[in-house]
Amino acid sequence: MVTFGATILVVEDEPELASALERSLTAHGYRVLSTGRGEDALGLFARAHVDLVLLDLLLPDISGLEVCRRIRAVSSTPIIVLSVKNSEHDKVEALDLGADDYVAKPFGIAEVLARIRVALRRLERQNGGSAEEQVLIGPLVMDFGRRRVWLKGREIALTPTEYELLRIFVVHRGKLLTRQMLLRMLWGSASHDRVHSLHVYVAQLRQKIEPCPGKPRLILTIPGVGYRFSDEVEAADQFNCAHP
């Protein structure tokens, strides 16, 4: 017997893909609501308790971007965009509108399930209390109260900007952050021309917290979009230069 867990709203107008997603999600214990139209999706979202939205950008009535904008205006429910690979501009726009992640089409169901688990874990952390005093990710320890960071037991000296960038990454770990989102969170709304500075600070931070800065395990680059801070590193022995 399948035990139903989180409720996922699938907004996908390709019937075969929608059906495959619904079967796979149901088999993995999720309750599924499904529609191929944006207006119907907004109606379902308003009437039902939804824990996560899988959202196609290309819908027959209103765009997925508009659905994303209207959901985010009233709720912080995780939204994972399903996007055609070549629509990079739409992906970035959706993320800037508040989507939490995207999965490029064609995709494997295992990848979708993994992204769903990450988003739901982050939601659980937030619901359990977002004011974490200390976070442990593999060998990295971040103490928000004392504004101090340790790696494998050794304290890491960070500049104020490096610390703030790391804090943003850790608070939003698992979530894809666009460059524009990071710029706004670091330096405010008038910081669109500081992309180079952001890249410099990311590189400096990697030098201090990654064992192999050229092959990062924590601060992952998402080409053409931004960065994701991984929370998949669970143990210190996984976090070394030789690890695959």
Side-chain angles (χ1 to χ4, degrees):
M1 178 182 292
V2 174
T3 301
F4 289 95
T7 298
I8 297 177
L9 174 58
V10 175
V11 189
E12 171 57 63
D13 72 331
E14 295 181 38
E16 292 183 0
L17 178 54
S19 178
L21 284 168
E22 185 170 355
R23 288 195 305 271
S24 297
L25 292 169
T26 301
H28 282 82
Y30 298 107
R31 178 171 177 260
V32 180
L33 305 173
S34 183
T35 179
R37 298 181 64 83
E39 292 288 1
D40 291 344
L42 292 168
L44 284 169
F45 187 86
R47 293 192 301 272
H49 173 79
V50 174
D51 296 295
L52 183 141
V53 180
L54 288 180
L55 177 63
D56 186 14
L57 291 183
L58 301 176
L59 300 173
D61 50 352
I62 61 174
S63 74
L65 293 173
E66 177 63 13
V67 174
C68 179
R69 186 189 67 78
R70 287 162 66 175
I71 288 177
R72 190 53 76 235
V74 298
S75 173
S76 59
T77 297
I79 300 171
I80 298 178
V81 166
L82 307 176
S83 174
V84 178
K85 281 186 174 180
N86 292 331
S87 59
E88 183 176 288
H89 173 75
D90 284 343
K91 295 176 191 174
V92 173
E93 188 173 358
L95 291 163
D96 282 338
L97 284 171
D100 294 83
D101 202 351
Y102 77 82
V103 181
K105 295 181 180 179
F107 51 74
I109 190 62
E111 180 184 7
V112 176
L113 290 168
R115 300 292 181 86
I116 288 171
R117 289 193 296 271
V118 169
L120 291 177
R121 280 202 304 269
R122 187 168 59 249
L123 180 64
E124 185 177 2
R125 285 197 302 265
Q126 292 169 352
N127 290 342
S130 58
E132 297 171 284
E133 283 297 314
Q134 193 174 90
V135 172
L136 172 66
I137 301 174
L140 182 74
V141 179
M142 188 164 192
D143 189 316
F144 295 118
R146 294 189 288 171
R147 294 180 62 87
R148 297 171 70 183
V149 178
W150 292 267
L151 181 67
K152 295 184 178 180
R154 180 174 62 88
E155 186 167 2
I156 304 298
L158 300 176
T159 68
T161 302
E162 289 169 350
Y163 176 87
E164 182 60 19
L165 178 58
L166 180 59
R167 187 195 66 79
I168 291 168
F169 277 136
V170 170
V171 168
H172 298 280
R173 56 196 183 276
K175 180 176 180 178
L176 199 159
L177 300 172
T178 69
R179 289 183 291 268
Q180 291 304 316
M181 291 165 67
L182 288 167
L183 288 171
R184 285 197 301 270
M185 286 187 277
L186 275 173
W187 295 302
S189 58
S191 58
H192 60 276
D193 59 346
R194 300 192 64 176
V195 174
H196 177 70
S197 296
L198 175 63
H199 292 166
V200 170
Y201 279 110
V202 168
Q204 291 175 182
L205 197 52
R206 279 174 169 160
Q207 288 291 333
K208 293 184 177 183
I209 69 170
E210 299 273 8
C212 294
K215 298 179 179 179
R217 298 285 314 284
L218 290 174
I219 305 174
L220 308 178
T221 297
I222 310 302
V225 181
Y227 301 94
R228 186 202 315 276
F229 193 89
S230 175
D231 61 355
E232 297 297 312
V233 178
E234 297 177 354
D237 59 2
Q238 295 178 299
F239 192 78
N240 58 69
C241 212
H243 195 276

